[in-house]
Structure formats: C-alpha cells, structure tokens
Amino acid sequence: DAKTTQPTSMDCAEGRAANLPCNHSTISGNEYVYWYRQIHSQGPQYIIHGLKNNETNEMASLIITEDRKSSTLILPHATLRDTAVYYCIVRVYTNAGKSTFGDGTTLTVKP
Amino acid sequence: GAVVSQHPSWVICKSGTSVKIECRSLDFQATTMFWYRQFPKQSLMLMATSNEGSKATYEQGVEKDKFLINHASLTLSTLTVTSAHPEDSSFYICSARDPSQAVVYGYTFGSGTRLTVV
C-alpha cells in the first residue's frame, strides 16, 4: 500500500464543511483512495473511494488532484456525530481487504 | 448494506484462559474475512486473513498458535485468544466484503470486541 500522510487533528464548526486532506505522493496507477472513519470504540465505517475522478455519495465528496498525489474528503455540513478519526487508505482494489491504517485525522466538530 | 456482526461486544477474562470472538456476515457470504487489533490511542493493525475452508494467513509478528482462527462456514469466522495475558487486552475488529456490493460499500467492519484480561 502507498504511504499516506494526514494531519493529526482538525476542528470544524457544526454546520460548516469539513475538508480533510490526505497526501499520497507515491500512489500507483492501479491504486484507489479509500476513506473510512472510526467513531470512538466502534469499528471503522466506509465512507467513499475513488480512482481518479471526483466522487460524491450521500455521506461525503472525494476530490482527487489531477496528478493523484493528494485528495480531500469533504463533509459538506458537519454535525457533532461526525466527530471521529478519519483514515485515508491507498490500495489496489483486489487487495482492498488488507488495509494498512495510518494514524488518521481526529476531526472534532464543535457546536 | 452489508452487515458484519461481532460477538461479544466486550469480554473480561482471567489471565491464562482462552476467549473466542465471533465474526458473522449477516446477509452475505464471505470467503475471506480479516482480523484487526487496535490498542488504545493507536491505529488498527491487521493480524490475519481468514479463509473459508483453509488455513488463515497471519501477518508478520502475529503468533498463530496464540491467535487461532477458524473459518468453517461462509458466514462465520472465529478468533480464539489462547492463554490470554494482560498484554492481549485490546480492541479486536473483523471485516468482510459482500461481493455483490463491494464497489459501493468497500469492506464492512464489525463493531469490535473489547477484550480485557485481568
């Protein structure tokens, strides 16, 4: 898996957009960018993934730079329940289950 | 979406005893499941890959004789921590993939099992 770099922590005001960056400068052409989050004492929850195009689902948007060396997860209207550790993972799709989790970003949404 | 259930949610056991943790895929069949361990304030670490009908594959540094994995059916994998010691106290999490929904949901994780060895 390509190595990823994320900020240790971020704060966001409730109702505002939360933009979580991830650097993956060594990403290979066949590697996808996955985002998961882990709320305290729970298992990780899948959020979104993409290869090179921007993606959007009911939870978030994923913006991947043209050179694919970095990406941003966007939670459009953060709520208190979005407080969690967010993990950016880069891996080949066929090897998706064997995830290498880094330290992630602890997002704290404040009222 | 795909649901992965873990049982128990938490368990306390005495040092030297064994503990079994179950991971079930509730509405899909999973030929492969993964087991992770997470110590307090640390990230998840992959322990092993559980393969239905065959031996598990362990990551480097994980003792296969201590962490016994059995994947006897397409919906159930079990992790048994044998002769548990306080240093085995951790949060154990499993994950699996619903082949019919992998593109949408990626891998689904269980809710985890908090093991405390006293």
Side-chain angles (χ1 to χ4, degrees):
Chain A
D1 295 351
K3 180 178 172 57
T4 61
T5 303
Q6 299 178 251
T8 301
S9 63
M10 294 181 64
D11 290 344
C12 177
E14 188 178 18
R16 298 283 206 170
N19 298 297
L20 292 89
C22 179
N23 285 323
H24 32 79
S25 59
T26 61
I27 190 171
S28 299
N30 61 346
E31 289 182 313
Y32 287 71
V33 180
Y34 287 80
W35 283 85
Y36 287 84
R37 72 180 182 184
Q38 185 179 25
I39 297 171
H40 183 62
S41 294
Q42 297 183 24
Q45 176 190 21
Y46 166 83
I47 301 174
I48 198 167
H49 76 282
L51 182 62
K52 54 184 178 181
N53 298 322
N54 297 337
E55 303 288 344
T56 296
N57 62 21
E58 64 277 6
M59 290 183 68
S61 294
L62 174 61
I63 307 298
I64 303 174
T65 58
E66 192 170 344
D67 62 7
R68 303 208 321 125
K69 293 185 177 182
S70 66
S71 62
T72 301
L73 177 74
I74 301 173
L75 307 179
H77 305 288
T79 70
L80 299 180
R81 289 178 296 181
D82 292 323
T83 293
V85 179
Y86 288 76
Y87 296 100
C88 168
I89 297 167
V90 175
R91 64 191 178 213
V92 177
Y93 184 77
T94 54
N95 204 30
K98 299 182 69 173
S99 299
T100 300
F101 283 79
D103 293 332
T105 296
T106 298
L107 174 68
T108 303
V109 180
K110 299 185 175 181
Chain B
V3 178
V4 173
S5 173
Q6 264 186 259
H7 180 80
S9 299
W10 59 271
V11 57
I12 301 173
C13 71
K14 291 185 177 180
S15 186
T17 62
S18 296
V19 175
K20 180 184 288 187
I21 302 169
E22 294 186 347
C23 178
R24 294 181 183 273
S25 53
L26 294 187
D27 48 1
F28 65 98
Q29 294 182 334
T31 56
T32 303
M33 294 185 177
F34 300 91
W35 287 95
Y36 292 81
R37 178 169 54 181
Q38 185 175 33
F39 291 109
K41 298 189 182 301
Q42 294 187 22
S43 189
L44 284 79
M45 294 292 294
L46 180 65
M47 297 177 66
T49 302
S50 174
N51 303 299
E52 188 269 334
S54 65
K55 291 183 179 181
T57 305
Y58 291 82
E59 296 299 302
Q60 190 173 7
V62 177
E63 302 175 57
K64 61 181 180 180
D65 293 332
K66 181 169 185 61
F67 299 99
L68 301 180
I69 292 174
N70 184 277
H71 196 153
S73 78
L74 288 171
T75 59
L76 175 64
S77 174
T78 61
L79 169 68
T80 301
V81 183
T82 64
S83 187
H85 288 95
E87 56 265 31
D88 298 322
S89 298
S90 188
F91 192 51
Y92 293 86
I93 309 167
C94 68
S95 75
R97 179 176 69 93
D98 179 354
S100 68
Q101 298 187 358
V103 175
V104 178
Y105 293 105
Y107 273 75
T108 301
F109 287 80
S111 55
T113 297
R114 176 78 58 192
L115 170 63
T116 302
V117 184
V118 297

